[in-house]
Amino acid sequence: MTPPDPNQSVSLVGQILRTPEEIARVLNSLVARSEPIICDLSGGGLLFRSRLRFVDPASTYLVIDFSPDEAANRALLARSRATFHAEPGGWRVEFAAADPRAIRPREGAPGIRLRFPEIIAGHRQRESERVEARPQCELRCVADEAGLMSFDGTIANVSRGGIGFLQYDPAINLEPGTLLRGCRIDSPSGESIIVDMEVRYSQLVTLADGRRVQSSGCRFVHLSAEEAERIEALFGLKP
């Protein structure tokens, strides 16, 4: 097997990658760089920290190292699916993998094997200027109201490119590629707009008052010109 090229770059151009070839390229870059990978197992209360060791050339599985934290290892192995992120060279890379199980090969170190991810997402840290929602115009969002499980959130800010940042309960874990259907955004004036959003990435953040929340970057999908104009008006954005 040819080892991963340590000089290959991680470049997602703010996209979600879905083909096995594209996903393997990014994952092998993480292997080559020996980048730390992290999985939040309990709303920030327990973190699994490790490194990606091996990417199957046939794109069927991954192997990661055990964490030094035994409690984190047990928590990860008890899950059916987990979301990991890494932050190589100014990028945040995120992927979900299923069916973690411990392996102890006859040769080499023990590790954890997972299924190959179906998608991988990434974005540049501080990739574009964003504007904060004005305090008097904070927007409430009922996310996935037309889906399987709705939940309340707050639109904290939005970029002129149309990416909304949704803050919500830290116990909820939204994977990259999740489609939130029929999200209702309410303004203090009583106006509402209903849009579909695709989750690009998620991360835990600490607010000014000390609260921990999940914050997801979401791309508006199937947006009409009229809906785009209404969103600009709600957020006070200029074209």
Side-chain angles (χ1 to χ4, degrees):
M1 173 186 171
T2 303
D5 179 2
N7 295 317
Q8 62 183 313
S9 62
V10 176
S11 178
L12 298 175
V13 199
Q15 295 183 353
I16 292 180
L17 305 181
R18 302 180 188 275
T19 69
E21 295 79 13
E22 291 174 322
I23 295 170
R25 173 179 57 80
V26 174
L27 294 178
N28 275 316
S29 182
L30 299 180
V31 174
R33 293 163 175 255
S34 194
E35 289 286 346
I37 60 172
I38 299 172
C39 175
D40 172 24
L41 296 166
S42 181
L46 182 62
L47 297 179
F48 176 90
R49 301 178 186 272
S50 180
R51 281 180 167 80
L52 184 59
R53 186 198 307 169
F54 178 73
V55 179
D56 173 33
S59 300
T60 58
Y61 69 94
L62 310 172
V63 176
I64 63 176
D65 291 329
F66 278 106
S67 168
D69 186 334
E70 287 300 326
N73 290 329
R74 290 193 297 271
L76 178 67
L77 291 169
R79 290 192 164 206
S80 61
R81 189 175 181 88
T83 300
F84 301 87
H85 75 267
E87 297 184 352
W91 287 87
R92 181 182 172 94
V93 176
E94 190 170 346
F95 63 92
D99 301 335
R101 64 182 180 86
I103 58 169
R104 302 188 180 276
R106 295 181 180 179
E107 297 181 5
I112 298 175
R113 174 171 167 155
L114 303 103
R115 277 211 320 245
F116 193 83
E118 297 175 357
I119 61 175
I120 193 166
H123 71 102
R124 280 281 188 194
Q125 304 285 26
R126 297 182 297 275
E127 65 179 350
S128 63
E129 179 185 0
R130 296 182 175 91
V131 294
E132 298 293 331
R134 298 187 301 275
Q136 68 272 27
C137 294
E138 184 178 75
L139 300 181
R140 173 178 176 264
C141 178
V142 181
D144 205 33
E145 191 170 41
L148 297 176
M149 185 180 69
S150 65
F151 60 93
D152 286 347
T154 302
I155 300 291
N157 52 46
V158 66
S159 76
R160 288 177 171 81
I163 304 296
F165 286 79
L166 179 67
Q167 294 178 348
Y168 52 94
D169 189 327
I172 299 173
N173 183 21
L174 297 179
E175 296 178 3
T178 301
L179 183 61
L180 304 175
R181 299 182 183 276
C183 301
R184 176 165 50 85
I185 302 174
D186 298 330
S187 73
S189 68
E191 291 183 85
S192 296
I193 185 169
I194 296 177
V195 295
D196 292 342
M197 299 192 294
E198 182 185 53
V199 176
R200 309 309 295 269
Y201 70 91
S202 300
Q203 63 187 36
L204 278 168
V205 299
T206 302
L207 301 181
D209 60 7
R211 287 184 300 128
R212 296 278 276 173
V213 298
Q214 284 279 7
S215 180
S216 290
C218 301
R219 178 178 70 92
F220 298 118
V221 295
H222 314 308
L223 203 64
S224 69
E226 180 183 357
E227 288 168 333
E229 289 179 1
R230 288 193 63 200
I231 287 172
E232 287 184 351
L234 285 174
F235 281 95
L237 299 176
K238 295 179 181 179

